């Protein structure tokens, strides 16, 4: 967190304008993930659980609902179809917050993960980056509003937020 950032955390445990999309299929990590989110130094304002084609959808939904209280509300989005990454990206587009964090069921965020992502997202160097375990710094859009492609020199497209 050495880069200058415009992000300032007013106090540890403060909410930030962030929707966390938890993507689950059948791993048994949901409790650990849910418990890690309100314990963040920067607490996400929304938690959404996506269950696409999960063979244990009812069990995961029951677990999520058991955590709903005055401090945490978990919204559940489900489908019988496995919509894969397209589905979670489509859900993320509907988030009412400034930022979205998509977490797969094989990752449990450390206590400062959200704060560090928010700090980095508010730096000049990474303000247009897709942050995570794999990232891409987005080029500025051209005069026509389109982004250049990361796939080939003269193409356009890709996954951009």
């Amino acid at each position: 967190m050495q880069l200058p950032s415009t992000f300032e955390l007013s106090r540890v445990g403060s909410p930030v304008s962030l929707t966390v999309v938890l993507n689950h299929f059948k791993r048994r990590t949901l409790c650990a993930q849910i418990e890690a989110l309100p314990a963040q130094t920067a607490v996400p304002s929304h938690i959404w659980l996506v269950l696409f084609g999960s063979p244990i959808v009812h069990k995961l939904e029951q677990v999520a609902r058991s955590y709903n209280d005055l401090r945490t509300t978990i919204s559940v989005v489900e489908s019988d179809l496995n919509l894969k990454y397209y589905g979670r990206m489509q859900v993320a587009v509907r988030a009412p917050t400034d930022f979205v964090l998509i977490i797969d069921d094989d990752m449990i965020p450390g206590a400062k993960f959200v704060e560090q992502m928010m700090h980095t997202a508010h730096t000049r160097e990474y303000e247009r980056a897709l942050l995570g375990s794999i990232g891409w710094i987005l080029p500025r859009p051209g005069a026509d509003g389109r982004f250049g492609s990361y796939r080939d020199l003269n193409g356009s497209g890709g996954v951009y937020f």
Side-chain angles (χ1 to χ4, degrees), residues 68-134:
N68 281 340
D69 58 28
L70 293 176
R71 184 168 177 195
T72 304
T73 301
I74 302 167
S75 301
V76 179
V77 180
E78 63 179 88
S79 172
D80 291 338
L81 299 173
N82 186 350
L83 302 172
K84 303 195 182 234
Y85 51 89
Y86 298 108
R88 31 192 137 132
M89 298 300 177
Q90 190 62 38
V91 167
V93 169
R94 302 295 302 158
T97 53
D98 295 332
F99 294 90
V100 176
L101 173 61
I102 300 172
I103 301 177
D104 272 333
D105 55 6
D106 60 351
M107 190 273 220
I108 299 167
K112 294 185 87 175
F113 186 80
V114 169
E115 181 183 0
Q116 291 168 342
M117 288 288 128
M118 295 296 288
H119 175 91
T120 304
H122 285 83
T123 64
R124 187 179 58 77
E125 292 83 354
Y126 294 101
E127 69 184 356
R128 300 183 56 77
L130 193 56
L131 302 174
S133 58
I134 299 172

Side-chain angles (χ1 to χ4, degrees), residues 36-58:
L37 293 171
Q40 294 289 308
T41 54
V43 179
S45 53
H46 295 78
I47 302 171
W48 292 356
L49 173 63
V50 294
L51 304 170
F52 296 147
S54 173
I56 58 170
V57 65
H58 298 297

